[in-house]
Amino acid sequence: MAGGGLPAGPRTEWAALSSVQQDQLWRERLLAERQSQRRWAQNWSFLRDYDPLGNRKEPVQLPEHVPLFSDTVPNASSQVVGSRLGTALGQTLARMDLRFVEGARKKKLDEELQPV
């Protein structure tokens, strides 16, 4: 346990570093990640061409053209849920959208917090 009764851990050690030291450590971690990616590509990338049983996989052909609009997901000119809000899918998407932006919405302040 460290001085304030809290165990010394990675978070407290990270917070104790200066911003220059944190930046240097971050750069070193990124460099190590890139090097490990290169080593994997040199040593193990052949595994991408085979399935778990050792049979050679056929490369997947990507389509030449992918339509911008979907037949199954409602679209509008602004790429958000449009005129199909009455459908079950549209209502589900609207509820999900409300849940995702709930914390970011502006809210009216309580009476005691209102400016005078």
Side-chain angles (χ1 to χ4, degrees):
M1 297 250 177
L6 295 173
R11 288 180 190 241
T12 55
E13 291 171 8
W14 179 262
L17 297 174
S18 72
S19 60
V20 174
Q21 290 170 325
Q22 288 178 0
D23 185 55
Q24 181 61 31
L25 187 60
W26 183 251
R27 290 172 191 265
E28 290 172 6
R29 288 180 181 178
L30 289 177
L31 180 62
E33 177 69 23
R34 285 191 207 116
Q35 288 173 345
S36 67
Q37 288 174 352
R38 282 190 216 111
R39 275 194 308 269
W40 185 91
Q42 290 172 353
N43 298 328
W44 301 101
S45 63
F46 67 91
L47 293 174
R48 286 183 290 200
D49 300 333
Y50 297 93
D51 66 8
L53 298 176
N55 301 322
R56 188 159 182 83
K57 289 193 283 188
E58 291 296 322
V60 177
Q61 291 293 331
L62 297 176
E64 263 187 50
H65 174 72
V66 178
L68 182 62
F69 297 102
S70 169
D71 293 334
T72 56
V73 178
N75 288 304
S77 61
S78 64
Q79 297 301 309
V80 296
V81 177
S83 62
R84 299 185 221 168
L85 280 174
T87 65
L89 176 62
Q91 291 173 354
T92 303
L93 288 172
R95 278 194 304 274
M96 288 173 61
D97 186 48
L98 284 174
R99 286 188 189 140
F100 287 135
V101 298
E102 190 173 33
R105 280 195 191 148
K106 290 184 178 181
K107 297 176 185 168
K108 187 174 180 179
L109 297 173
D110 292 336
E111 289 295 324
E112 65 263 7
L113 298 176
Q114 291 287 336
V116 186

